[in-house]
């Protein structure tokens, strides 16, 4: 593993910092590498209060039950932190301040190049302090750094993912070695006051990582998502998943349980920032959200993916059609489409275009 030893102390000259991180070995060794990266590279104050004995046991039980490879990885994190005299929660290595929603667009479809999933990740480039008007110097964008992370364990799934906000669990979108892909999208304007950490459930940022580590197909993802004990820390999300067989689904949940919208096999399925799977909603209803832009992007992306012979070029054009500007009228960087990822599912592949 090769990483920079120079910590970041201020807003980077580029809109956000981007690293590539390749990890390999046992799950325990990969955890050690993640902790070493956090200790030597991240300037963000990521160390958090160590869970109490009962909370730590509850957290271990959740991951042992639903994603045991991450328990092995967390053991490596804990061991490496202990070497440096650091105590904390080995299941989280935060890289950012509290997040704010911006927007996202994603779709799964099949075409001339086989089954694919494309997503625009849209987010603000301002710091949390900027947005809430708190005077602060040398604060970086909330999604900073962003890491293209490749994990090749000796046992378990190999994955490639775009990681932000949390080094351990923060897979925002990604794909594994059997062509299963997943991405999270915020439910805009539904952000909640930050909730106290829970150790008997997993938060909204953990879901994509767990699905990538555990699932081969959409059917398995739906079953696992139903079983996962979940809670929302701050930013309600829903998730789009797709596999090499051409199956896809949007996964949502509320106090009444899990809600799933399945895409037609070899057909398109679109997800933006309003609910689509809850009972009584339709794809073009901004139910539970006042983000009209979400509905417009949903309709535009749906229209762009109507063709029967879609190829990669058509997918890129569709994504650009719903991309968002990263600059305000005075040319200051504000936010928009930070990256677009085109995931080929059979065979697994990723083409990535970053802002700028």
């Amino acid at each position: 593993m090769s990483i920079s030893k120079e910590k970041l102390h201020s807003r980077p000259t580029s809109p956000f910092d981007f690293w590539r991180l390749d990890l390999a070995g046992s799950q325990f060794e990969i955890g050690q590498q993640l902790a070493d990266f956090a200790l030597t590279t991240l300037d963000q104050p990521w160390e958090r209060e160590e869970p109490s004995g009962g909370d730590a046991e509850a957290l271990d039980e959740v991951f042992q039950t639903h994603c045991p490879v991450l328990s092995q990885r967390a053991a490596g994190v804990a061991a490496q932190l202990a070497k440096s005299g650091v105590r904390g929660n080995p299941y989280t290595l935060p890289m950012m301040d509290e997040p704010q929603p911006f927007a996202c667009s994603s779709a799964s479809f099949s075409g001339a190049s086989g089954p694919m999933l494309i997503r625009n990740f849209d987010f603000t480039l301002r710091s949390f302090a900027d947005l809430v008007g708190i005077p602060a110097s040398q604060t970086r964008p909330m999604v900073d750094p962003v890491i293209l992370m490749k994990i090749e364990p000796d046992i378990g799934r190999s994955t490639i993912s775009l990681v932000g906000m949390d080094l351990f669990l923060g897979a925002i979108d990604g794909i594994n070695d059997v062509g299963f892909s997943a991405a999270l999208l915020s439910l805009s304007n539904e952000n909640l006051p930050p909730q106290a950490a829970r150790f008997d459930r997993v938060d909204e940022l953990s879901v994509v990582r767990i699905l990538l580590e555990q699932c081969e197909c959409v059917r398995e993802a739906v079953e696992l998502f139903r079983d996962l004990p979940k809670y929302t820390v701050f930013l309600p999300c829903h998730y789009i998943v797709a596999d090499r067989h051409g199956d896809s689904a949007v996964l949502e949940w509320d106090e009444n349980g899990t809600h799933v919208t399945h895409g037609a096999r070899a057909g398109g399925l679109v997800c933006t920032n309003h609910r689509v799977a809850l009972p009584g909603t339709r794809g073009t209803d901004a139910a539970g959200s006042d983000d009209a832009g979400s509905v417009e992007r949903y309709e535009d992306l749906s229209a762009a993916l109507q063709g029967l012979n879609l190829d990669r070029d058509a997918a890129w054009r569709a994504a650009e059609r719903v991309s968002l500007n990263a600059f305000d009228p005075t040319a200051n960087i504000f936010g928009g489409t930070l990256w677009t990822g085109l995931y080929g599912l059979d065979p697994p592949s990723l083409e990535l275009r970053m802002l700028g």
Side-chain angles (χ1 to χ4, degrees), residues 223-245:
E223 293 175 358
L224 178 55
F225 187 79
R226 289 188 194 278
D227 290 341
L228 279 176
K230 300 176 287 292
Y231 81 113
T232 298
V233 172
F234 179 73
L235 185 63
C237 292
H238 56 178
Y239 308 86
I240 186 168
V241 294
D243 64 30
R244 68 186 187 279
H245 308 295

Side-chain angles (χ1 to χ4, degrees), residues 1-3 18-27 29-31 33-34 37 73 146-154 156-164 167-168 170-171 173-177 209 212-213 343 348-350 352:
M1 179 179 65
S2 176
I3 57 177
F18 178 77
W19 285 314
R20 174 170 174 156
L21 186 58
D22 293 345
L23 309 176
S26 68
Q27 297 290 357
E29 290 167 339
I30 287 169
Q33 294 166 43
L34 286 169
F37 183 90
R73 206 172 288 172
V146 173
I147 298 171
L148 177 63
M149 185 180 292
K150 180 180 179 181
I151 296 179
E152 294 184 288
D154 56 356
R157 296 267 172 240
S158 295
T159 62
I160 296 177
S161 56
L162 273 296
V163 172
L167 187 64
F168 190 85
D173 51 80
I175 190 169
N176 65 22
D177 52 4
R209 171 57 65 195
L212 292 177
E213 298 287 345
Y343 291 92
S349 66
L350 167 61
L352 182 65

Side-chain angles (χ1 to χ4, degrees), residues 211-282:
L211 295 180
L212 292 177
E213 298 287 345
Q214 294 291 102
C215 298
E216 289 193 16
C217 61
V218 167
R219 176 185 57 79
E220 292 181 356
V222 171
E223 293 175 358
L224 178 55
F225 187 79
R226 289 188 194 278
D227 290 341
L228 279 176
K230 300 176 287 292
Y231 81 113
T232 298
V233 172
F234 179 73
L235 185 63
C237 292
H238 56 178
Y239 308 86
I240 186 168
V241 294
D243 64 30
R244 68 186 187 279
H245 308 295
D247 290 332
S248 58
V250 172
L251 311 178
E252 297 173 351
W253 67 281
D254 63 7
E255 65 277 4
N256 297 315
T258 296
H259 309 282
V260 181
T261 293
H262 287 278
R265 179 165 285 202
L269 180 65
V270 174
C271 185
T272 52
N273 300 111
H274 59 279
R275 296 185 182 274
V276 296
L278 285 176
T281 66
R282 302 191 309 274

Side-chain angles (χ1 to χ4, degrees), residues 33-180:
Q33 294 166 43
L34 286 169
D36 185 52
F37 183 90
L39 289 165
T40 59
T41 307
L42 299 182
D43 191 48
Q44 189 72 27
W46 53 267
E47 185 180 354
R48 294 295 184 267
E49 182 178 352
E50 184 178 23
S52 65
D55 288 338
E57 291 176 3
L59 189 61
D60 284 333
E61 182 177 353
V62 168
F63 282 93
Q64 286 285 358
T65 300
H66 298 286
C67 195
V69 297
L70 290 181
S71 294
Q72 301 167 34
R73 206 172 288 172
V77 171
Q80 196 69 10
L81 295 183
K83 287 182 180 180
S84 300
V86 176
R87 303 176 69 89
N89 180 353
Y91 286 96
T92 181
L93 296 170
M95 298 189 291
M96 60 169 290
D97 292 327
E98 295 170 347
Q100 292 281 335
F102 201 77
C104 286
S105 303
S106 184
S108 65
F109 59 96
S110 293
S113 303
M116 291 179 277
L117 184 144
I118 194 161
R119 75 101 91 248
N120 288 343
F121 179 72
D122 305 333
F123 209 77
T124 180
L125 287 173
R126 290 182 175 171
S127 69
F128 181 75
D130 287 338
L131 288 175
V132 299
I134 299 174
S137 62
Q138 299 182 331
T139 54
R140 302 196 307 272
M142 291 187 297
V143 183
D144 174 52
V146 173
I147 298 171
L148 177 63
M149 185 180 292
K150 180 180 179 181
I151 296 179
E152 294 184 288
D154 56 356
I155 299 174
R157 296 267 172 240
S158 295
T159 62
I160 296 177
S161 56
L162 273 296
V163 172
M165 307 184 202
D166 187 290
L167 187 64
F168 190 85
L169 291 172
I172 295 173
D173 51 80
I175 190 169
N176 65 22
D177 52 4
V178 291
F180 171 81

